[in-house]
Amino acid sequence: MGFAQVGAESGWRTANTKSIQETAKKDGIKLKFSDAQQKQENQIKAIRSYIQQKVDVIAFSPVVETGWDAVLQEAKRAHIPVILTDRAVDSKDTSLYKTFLGSDFVKEGQKAGQWLLDNASTSDVNGDGKINVVEIEGTTGAAPAIDRKKGFEDTIASDSKIKVIASQTGDFTRDGGKQVMEAFLKSQKGIDVLFAHNDDEGLGAIEAIKAAGLTPGKDIKIITIDATHDGMTALSQGEINYIVECNPLLGPQLMDLAKKVVDGKSVPQRVVTEETAFDQAQATAALPTRQY
Ligand code: AHR
């Protein structure tokens, strides 16, 4: 298997890489692995090199949604099956890949929005009758950034008190989250809620909020996505208020699908990962056995 990974931008990604590498080893699958450092051109180069090396199957987690048709057609012409993991491509030609294994990112955004609707009465921290939300988005053009934004914003639209007053990318990194939050704290008045597209951005933002003399989780309510160990620790300590889970442990399902595809067996076009969400008490209960 040739696997073209997005990068090492987050705790989620580190857990995802570990799951893929460990499962390949356990299942006796020879894995060629590359880290694209969040750059599409690096991923395309890696896929082309896997085609040249005539691997049996290519799997990858696309950095962004668009711009994959040419390289996927090259793989198809070389009769090398492709599996999408974690993130989707927006290609109209679904024959370019065998299956897509990963989360429903729209649903994750909806769950984050639903928590805010359910907790609106305690989320008007500034007490002015409005709930001002700042949003730290994931990597621009990436499926989870596009879908989580849509799911969240469509859901909160049913309550006119809740408004997203500023939204910017933090590139799914801790540093990005910190820098964007610092800028929001300077430019925006009366922030009640932060919605960060992943835990790392939320954790970076927490540093900025503390540096501004505010208490994360109280002065600004915080909702994130992933449920990594660091995120769950912050939730358990009350610095984050709610986390929607996104499961990175895709290795076992990916290797099962790959074996079937290489054996010419049929696989479903879409395999959705099962996920939950956590409040403070649930995070405290889950932390001792959390795997990532
Ligand atoms: O594609 C999954 C997302 O990518 C995770 O939520 C995020 O942490 C990662 O970088």
Side-chain angles (χ1 to χ4, degrees), residues 9-10 12-13 86-87 105 144 148 172 197-198 226 246:
E9 73 283 5
S10 61
W12 188 100
R13 188 65 56 198
D86 164 35
R87 297 183 182 178
F105 297 132
R148 287 172 184 168
F172 281 131
H197 284 195
N198 78 347
D226 276 354
C246 180

Side-chain angles (χ1 to χ4, degrees), residues 57-68:
V57 57
I58 292 171
F60 80 114
S61 182
V63 180
V64 290
E65 273 191 343
T66 54
W68 297 102

Side-chain angles (χ1 to χ4, degrees), residues 9-12 136 170 172-179 181-182 194-211 216 222-241 243 292:
E9 73 283 5
S10 61
W12 188 100
I136 305 183
F172 281 131
T173 65
R174 229 172 254 221
D175 260 12
K178 188 176 177 194
Q179 280 171 33
M181 195 66 209
E182 279 167 358
L194 162 66
F195 170 45
H197 284 195
N198 78 347
D199 287 351
D200 283 83
E201 291 176 336
L203 292 164
I206 285 173
E207 290 176 36
I209 291 168
K210 284 182 178 168
I222 302 177
I223 310 164
T224 67
I225 296 182
D226 276 354
T228 57
H229 203 274
D230 287 358
M232 294 283 272
T233 303
L235 174 56
S236 170
Q237 291 166 349
E239 295 190 331
I240 293 178
N241 303 86
I243 303 185
Y292 57 94

Side-chain angles (χ1 to χ4, degrees), residues 30-229:
K30 196 168 165 206
L31 185 70
K32 293 172 187 291
F33 183 89
S34 60
D35 172 340
Q37 297 179 341
Q38 296 238 70
K39 291 199 176 71
Q40 183 175 32
E41 67 260 33
N42 291 345
Q43 266 191 322
I44 291 177
K45 258 190 229 152
I47 294 170
R48 289 210 165 109
S49 102
Y50 296 147
I51 296 172
Q52 268 175 5
Q53 294 173 62
K54 299 187 176 20
V55 296
D56 296 306
V57 57
I58 292 171
F60 80 114
S61 182
V63 180
V64 290
E65 273 191 343
T66 54
W68 297 102
D69 283 34
V71 74
L72 292 181
Q73 268 151 8
E74 289 167 35
K76 193 176 171 186
R77 276 199 297 275
H79 304 288
I80 300 176
V82 172
I83 298 177
L84 302 178
T85 78
D86 164 35
R87 297 183 182 178
V89 297
D90 79 344
S91 176
K92 301 268 172 299
D93 182 357
T94 53
S95 78
L96 295 177
Y97 54 90
K98 294 289 176 196
T99 181
F100 165 34
L101 162 68
S103 310
D104 181 338
F105 297 132
V106 175
K107 203 162 157 195
E108 290 174 351
Q110 286 168 344
K111 285 186 197 169
Q114 191 58 50
W115 182 85
L116 187 51
L117 289 180
D118 295 343
N119 290 274
S121 60
T122 51
S123 295
D124 176 12
V125 180
N126 292 296
D128 58 2
K130 292 178 293 180
I131 300 175
N132 292 327
V133 182
V134 292
E135 181 176 10
I136 305 183
E137 298 176 28
T139 303
T140 305
I146 296 167
D147 293 353
R148 287 172 184 168
K149 183 177 183 68
K150 180 170 171 37
F152 180 76
E153 293 184 0
D154 285 356
T155 305
I156 59 166
S158 65
D159 185 338
S160 60
K161 288 193 305 299
I162 308 175
K163 284 261 155 15
V164 177
I165 55 167
S167 188
Q168 249 181 58
T169 179
D171 217 9
F172 281 131
T173 65
R174 229 172 254 221
D175 260 12
K178 188 176 177 194
Q179 280 171 33
V180 172
M181 195 66 209
E182 279 167 358
F184 283 163
L185 288 164
K186 284 190 192 125
S187 64
Q188 305 299 325
K189 290 212 166 52
I191 301 172
D192 296 298
V193 176
L194 162 66
F195 170 45
H197 284 195
N198 78 347
D199 287 351
D200 283 83
E201 291 176 336
L203 292 164
I206 285 173
E207 290 176 36
I209 291 168
K210 284 182 178 168
L214 299 169
T215 307
K218 291 206 169 61
D219 295 330
I220 296 178
K221 302 277 179 185
I222 302 177
I223 310 164
T224 67
I225 296 182
D226 276 354
T228 57
H229 203 274

